[in-house]
Amino acid sequence: MTTYTAPIRDIRYVLEHVTPLRELTALPAFAHAEPDLVAGLLEEVGRFSAQAIAPTNRDGDQHGATLDGDRVVLPDSFKKVYDQYVEAGWGTLQHPTEFGGGGFPLTVANAAKETINSANLAFSLGPLLTTGAVYLLTHHGSAEQQQTYLPKMVTGEWAGTMNLTEPQAGSDVGAVTTRAVPADDGSYRITGQKIYITFGEHELTENIVHLVLARLPDAPPGTKGISLFLVPKFLVNDDGSLGERNDVSVVSLEHKLGIHASPTCVMAYGEDGEGAVGYLVGEPHTGMRGMFTMMNDARLGVGIQGLAIAERAYQQALAYAQERRQGRGPTSAPGEQAPIIEHADVRRMLLTMKANIEAMRALCYANAHALDLAHGADDPVVREQQQKLADLLTPLSKAWCTDLGVELTSLAVQVHGGMGYVEETGVAQHFRDARIAPIYEGTNGIQALDLVGRKLPYDGGAYVKGVLGEIRDTVDALPEELGTVAVNLGDALDALQEATDWIFAQRETPNEVFAGATPYLRMFATVVGGWLLARGAVSASAAIASGDTGTFDAEFLQAKLTTTRFFAEQVLPTVRGLQPSVTAGSRDLYALTPALLAP
């Protein structure tokens, strides 16, 4: 079973009751995003994802991307569906109207992206990078660069890429050596190699706009000496038409565990002459500022990928559990085999997936909602506070959701039993595809360091204290029927508060903090996920009590209460268990020499 159904009902519930879209449509920038319009849009993108994109997922995994000389060849199905994607305008949703975008809130655009990611994760990576490139040029590109490149990139007729690292650099971007030499005409000549470039070469689009980190001849060492350059695959003439091919080429493709149809390229710049033609974006030596604009957008996008692949795997596991008969169920007659969904442990796995997926969805949408308010609110104080919230939630969205993407797709394999390990069922592909997400756009360990090193200290710690206070207010206001949620969320919040206090007390010994940063991020994200589920459950409980369920039936709302209780009783208790890992410090991490670590 490899079909997919977009979870539009749950998406709409989050947009109405957890991250209220009405808060955004009250702003002039998003006034056009009326509920009926958004509902119709989501229904249509869900249909497109399920019917047009999802059938290409297996084809992409089996045939993958291949290198034919200097051409990257993708499965035929990809070109057809990509053209449909561009024609429908799905890539334009969040982008500025002056460049042909829809001007919709990021919250709405990301809901649409979730369905596309679930349908085919490998396919979705190309649009993800193009979206980030548009975002970067919108904020840092010159007026000429924006007018030349953005209209075609917004529609998806041209693609964009992110070129950061090199073989010797890895995550240490400050070690890059690609060079940029000024030319007489104001452009630059770029020479060097970049690795791990997603969709660095393909023929889905007419042109590819590479955003490349490089060093000017007078650049200081480290990240302070990095500049950002726009390097198109084809040069663009003054009239907007495409000119000659730039000195940019693909050297090889990586052979990967998963996402086989997403070409991960080694790119060469300037191998055939004096260098590839590039154009400086922003000021010299400020490249990391621009690239982080793109990377932060991509980090939330990658978090959504973790959510999306888990949703796809969950749907497949749920269908299999209803079809597969094995063993006697609790109400089966003697000698009668029951569907495995009747077995308690299978139910546990399915509810674990469902509850975590709903928490992940709420977190990623809350992250986007904060960004929308940060960009669109009239009050500068609101903008500032919402930007801080978005900054705090981004490492949680990226790391927690991608870690869970791996864990939950693994559970989907487990639900299938031995058949899950057999490729013909298709569920193993989701597990393989999910594994890259905790690594790219800054490994999850880096996200944890960012959380404790940069985000917690906002306002001397006062900001995070305020967020934890909001969670406490929710706990204190939970109705009686959510009493177990209040107890477990309250205890998890206590543990998180104690761990947070310990971190602030250790600020003079940062390595002690860094040693526990990853379990701390897990604690924080799990508490936030439980908090957001609780907020949704309060709305569900009130709707049931009043009899005014709106567009959601009472059975669906009761299911919301059940998944929230399950998360509170089965997932939130792990927060307390993680606390000792946070506060253990670094002593034992460094107690063994490499020789003692060896067998």
Side-chain angles (χ1 to χ4, degrees):
M1 182 271 189
T2 57
T3 58
Y4 165 70
T5 301
I8 299 301
R9 184 168 57 169
D10 197 69
I11 288 173
R12 289 188 61 187
Y13 189 82
V14 175
L15 293 179
E16 288 187 31
H17 295 287
V18 182
T19 60
L21 184 61
R22 62 182 176 274
E23 292 183 3
L24 303 179
T25 56
L27 304 174
F30 303 127
H32 65 291
E34 298 179 351
D36 288 345
L37 175 62
V38 170
L41 182 153
L42 292 175
E43 289 286 349
E44 183 59 24
V45 73
R47 182 204 63 78
F48 178 76
S49 297
Q51 296 180 11
I53 301 179
T56 69
N57 192 51
R58 191 70 182 275
D59 180 42
D61 185 58
Q62 293 179 326
H63 294 97
T66 58
L67 189 60
D68 179 13
D70 60 356
R71 296 176 58 238
V72 170
V73 180
L74 299 178
D76 292 341
S77 61
F78 273 47
K79 177 60 176 172
K80 178 181 177 182
V81 79
Y82 186 82
D83 288 345
Q84 294 172 341
Y85 166 87
V86 171
E87 183 178 358
W90 294 125
T92 69
L93 292 179
Q94 75 194 67
H95 296 311
T97 54
E98 59 262 39
F99 300 114
F104 281 91
L106 178 62
T107 309
V108 173
N110 280 0
K113 291 174 197 174
E114 181 197 325
T115 71
I116 295 169
N117 288 329
S118 287
N120 188 330
L121 190 62
F123 173 87
S124 72
L125 285 164
L128 169 75
L129 271 300
T130 300
T131 294
V134 169
Y135 193 53
L136 187 156
L137 290 175
T138 300
H139 287 78
H140 301 282
S142 67
E144 180 182 2
Q145 289 168 347
Q146 292 174 355
Q147 292 298 328
T148 301
Y149 295 97
L150 285 183
K152 294 282 190 180
M153 295 175 72
V154 164
T155 62
E157 294 170 85
W158 293 359
T161 72
M162 179 193 303
N163 286 242
L164 284 80
T165 196
E166 300 168 9
Q168 79 288 347
S171 296
D172 182 10
V173 181
V176 301
T177 59
T178 297
R179 288 178 55 80
V181 177
D184 294 338
D185 60 359
S187 65
Y188 294 79
R189 297 297 176 265
I190 314 298
T191 56
Q193 279 197 0
K194 296 289 183 178
I195 62 172
Y196 301 145
I197 309 306
T198 300
F199 275 81
E201 174 58 36
H202 56 87
E203 296 180 343
L204 296 180
T205 60
E206 299 174 325
N207 204 3
I208 302 174
V209 179
H210 300 289
L211 293 166
V212 183
L213 293 182
R215 294 186 178 281
L216 294 167
D218 61 347
T223 56
K224 294 182 179 179
I226 292 177
S227 299
L228 177 63
F229 298 88
L230 186 158
V231 186
K233 175 180 175 179
F234 288 97
L235 301 180
V236 181
N237 297 320
D238 291 341
D239 63 0
S241 63
L242 296 183
E244 64 183 33
R245 175 76 182 253
N246 206 351
D247 191 358
V248 180
S249 60
V250 56
V251 175
S252 64
L253 297 182
E254 304 294 351
H255 300 280
K256 308 186 297 291
L257 175 68
I259 53 168
H260 292 153
S262 171
T264 302
C265 304
V266 176
M267 302 295 298
Y269 292 87
E271 286 209 338
D272 296 331
E274 297 179 355
V277 176
Y279 307 94
L280 182 67
V281 178
E283 297 298 319
H285 314 317
T286 63
M288 289 306 297
R289 183 186 310 163
M291 195 57 82
F292 267 114
T293 300
M294 183 176 185
M295 191 178 295
N296 280 326
D297 176 78
R299 284 173 173 170
L300 176 53
V302 170
I304 292 171
Q305 289 179 349
L307 156 66
I309 197 69
E311 171 69 37
R312 180 73 183 267
Y314 167 70
Q315 291 189 17
Q316 190 161 340
L318 176 61
Y320 184 82
Q322 295 175 84
E323 298 165 0
R324 172 65 171 163
R325 289 180 173 271
Q326 183 175 319
R328 183 178 176 181
T331 61
S332 301
E336 179 182 278
Q337 289 190 319
I340 63 172
I341 198 170
E342 296 300 321
H343 302 312
D345 193 57
V346 174
R347 287 290 183 116
R348 178 192 62 80
M349 290 188 284
L350 292 172
L351 261 293
T352 298
M353 295 180 74
K354 179 177 175 60
N356 276 290
I357 287 167
E358 291 184 9
M360 294 157 71
R361 181 172 292 122
L363 171 59
C364 288
Y365 290 21
N367 200 156
H369 187 266
L371 284 168
D372 284 326
L373 289 173
H375 296 151
D378 294 327
D379 187 338
V381 175
V382 172
R383 291 200 301 270
E384 180 185 7
Q385 292 298 94
Q386 290 297 317
Q387 185 62 58
K388 288 176 181 175
L389 178 60
D391 291 345
L392 180 68
L393 296 182
T394 295
L396 306 185
S397 299
K398 195 279 177 182
W400 189 57
C401 293
T402 57
D403 279 344
L404 283 177
V406 175
E407 294 170 24
L408 300 183
T409 53
S410 180
L411 268 186
V413 173
Q414 190 74 14
V415 170
H416 283 72
M419 288 303 297
Y421 205 67
V422 176
E423 287 287 353
E424 71 179 74
T425 64
V427 72
Q429 179 192 345
H430 307 318
F431 183 43
R432 291 186 285 102
D433 286 352
R435 189 58 191 87
I436 183 60
I439 298 172
Y440 58 25
E441 306 311 334
T443 65
N444 286 356
I446 291 174
Q447 304 306 311
L449 296 179
D450 176 58
L451 174 65
V452 299
R454 293 191 178 95
K455 306 308 169 51
L456 291 190
Y458 278 174
D459 299 335
Y463 183 78
V464 72
K465 181 180 179 181
V467 172
L468 298 182
E470 286 188 50
I471 301 175
R472 181 70 64 190
D473 292 342
T474 299
V475 172
D476 293 342
L478 286 174
E480 185 176 346
E481 60 267 30
L482 294 174
T484 60
V485 177
V487 169
N488 287 282
L489 181 55
D491 184 66
L493 179 59
D494 288 343
L496 177 61
Q497 183 66 69
E498 291 161 15
T500 304
D501 291 343
W502 183 89
I503 286 174
F504 280 114
Q506 300 295 320
R507 57 184 175 271
E508 300 301 324
T509 55
N511 212 41
E512 299 300 290
V513 175
F514 295 161
T518 290
Y520 178 78
L521 184 148
R522 182 76 171 225
M523 290 179 72
F524 209 129
T526 305
V527 169
V528 171
W531 173 43
L532 296 172
L533 287 181
R535 281 167 42 177
V538 169
S539 292
S541 178
I544 293 169
S546 68
D548 182 11
T549 59
T551 57
F552 306 97
D553 58 62
E555 190 175 37
F556 172 81
L557 297 177
Q558 286 287 358
K560 281 289 172 191
L561 300 183
T562 299
T563 52
T564 301
R565 284 197 305 269
F566 182 90
F567 190 91
E569 295 170 6
Q570 300 277 339
V571 181
L572 282 173
T574 64
V575 173
R576 176 67 70 179
L578 287 167
Q579 186 182 351
S581 299
V582 175
T583 59
S586 65
R587 182 189 61 186
D588 288 344
L589 299 184
Y590 292 91
L592 300 182
T593 65
L596 289 172
L597 286 169

